[in-house]
Amino acid sequence: MDNKAFYKEAEFLLGAAQLSQLPADHGFEVAFAGRSNAGKSSVLNVLCQQKSLARTSKTPGRTQQINVFNLDEQRRLVDLPGYGYAKVSEKVKKEWQDTLDSYLQQRECLKGVILIMDIRHPLKAFDMMMVEWAYRSGLPTHVLLNKSDKLKRGPGKNTLFAVLAELKPYADLVSVQLFSALKRTGSEDVYDVLDKWFDLQE
Ligand code: GDP
């Protein structure tokens, strides 16, 4: 099934500074998370086949918001804030951690998390925190090792296996794949995962 066209429909709905500002907890959501610079915006743009969809998330003041994109009336992509540039205070960081954790724990319509990492710097503290929180909430996580174009085939595969080994304790809910937003490789496998979570499979 070619459902690629469906994701082209993505349209910015709102940026929420607090969970209470999110749309009603109905339908299906898939959240995208990643440390700054892992390529989350690039991945969203590639998957949604739009040049600047996720630019919204980069607007100053919006970087610490949860940005919501509508696909149809029932389905949404959610761009979670990632911190990496330690420009925020510990207090703000803690507040955001609490918000993210609550979102993962409480959001009924959330069906899974796409966690984006730079293949050259996988499984940092933020990534492990997300994996653990999602796992604890019984949510599946699909990891994209992005920027795989930066490594040759052999080292890329070795990183994939090393990450899989590291995430073995979570293997029942975690999957991992190579991706390159630059080369646009790996999208088909992500669409398969999204289709499943969005209940779009034929
Ligand atoms: P975000 O902070 O996670 O949203 O990251 P961006 O999407 O803004 O990407 C951060 C930087 O990494 C930008 O310079 C992108 O052009 C670059 N980038 C993103 N994806 C890839 C990729 O697959 N391969 C390479 N080589 N660079 C990438």
Side-chain angles (χ1 to χ4, degrees):
M1 179 181 59
D2 180 18
N3 230 330
K4 202 175 154 189
F6 176 69
Y7 297 96
K8 217 172 173 167
E9 300 299 314
E11 209 176 63
F12 179 72
L13 175 69
L14 57 83
Q18 290 158 12
L19 296 183
S20 59
Q21 296 166 340
L22 288 172
D25 193 356
H26 295 144
F28 305 80
E29 268 172 18
V30 173
F32 284 67
R35 298 167 67 234
S36 306
N37 217 39
K40 180 157 55 75
S41 309
S42 306
V43 169
L44 275 164
N45 288 342
V46 166
L47 292 175
C48 298
Q49 307 140 70
Q50 298 183 30
K51 278 206 184 81
S52 56
L53 177 81
R55 192 172 53 190
T56 340
S57 328
K58 302 265 173 187
T59 312
R62 283 241 166 99
T63 49
Q64 290 298 320
Q65 292 191 347
I66 297 177
N67 290 303
V68 183
F69 301 90
N70 268 344
L71 289 165
D72 66 13
E73 288 192 356
Q74 289 295 313
R75 298 175 177 86
R76 294 174 294 278
L77 298 176
V78 172
D79 184 359
L80 297 176
Y83 50 78
Y85 302 118
K87 291 225 174 79
V88 294
S89 67
E90 281 303 314
K91 182 169 169 279
V92 170
K93 210 161 162 178
K94 175 79 175 64
E95 278 168 15
W96 268 104
Q97 289 187 354
D98 290 347
T99 304
L100 285 183
D101 193 18
S102 303
Y103 173 74
L104 296 180
Q105 273 191 51
Q106 293 164 14
R107 194 76 172 161
E108 291 284 331
C109 64
L110 180 61
K111 303 304 175 199
V113 177
I114 303 279
L115 180 57
I116 296 135
M117 303 178 199
D118 184 326
I119 193 165
R120 299 164 300 173
H121 315 284
L123 302 176
K124 297 285 189 195
F126 172 82
D127 303 320
M128 291 313 296
M129 187 182 86
M130 290 300 295
V131 167
E132 271 161 27
W133 282 348
Y135 192 82
R136 236 181 30 212
S137 302
L139 277 172
T141 300
H142 186 65
V143 175
L144 303 187
L145 298 175
N146 188 38
K147 309 194 189 184
S148 61
D149 56 277
K150 291 274 190 187
L151 297 186
K152 292 214 172 85
R153 212 179 147 83
K157 282 212 160 157
N158 286 343
T159 306
L160 174 66
F161 292 136
V163 168
L164 280 169
E166 191 84 14
L167 294 178
K168 206 154 182 208
Y170 313 94
D172 51 328
L173 286 177
V174 174
S175 46
V176 187
Q177 70 159 90
L178 300 175
F179 194 90
S180 167
L182 181 76
K183 301 277 182 202
R184 295 162 196 256
T185 53
S187 297
E188 294 309 321
D189 293 326
V190 188
Y191 290 134
D192 286 345
V193 170
L194 292 176
D195 285 357
K196 197 171 77 187
W197 290 348
F198 279 131
D199 202 20
L200 288 168
Q201 281 174 321
E202 279 172 356

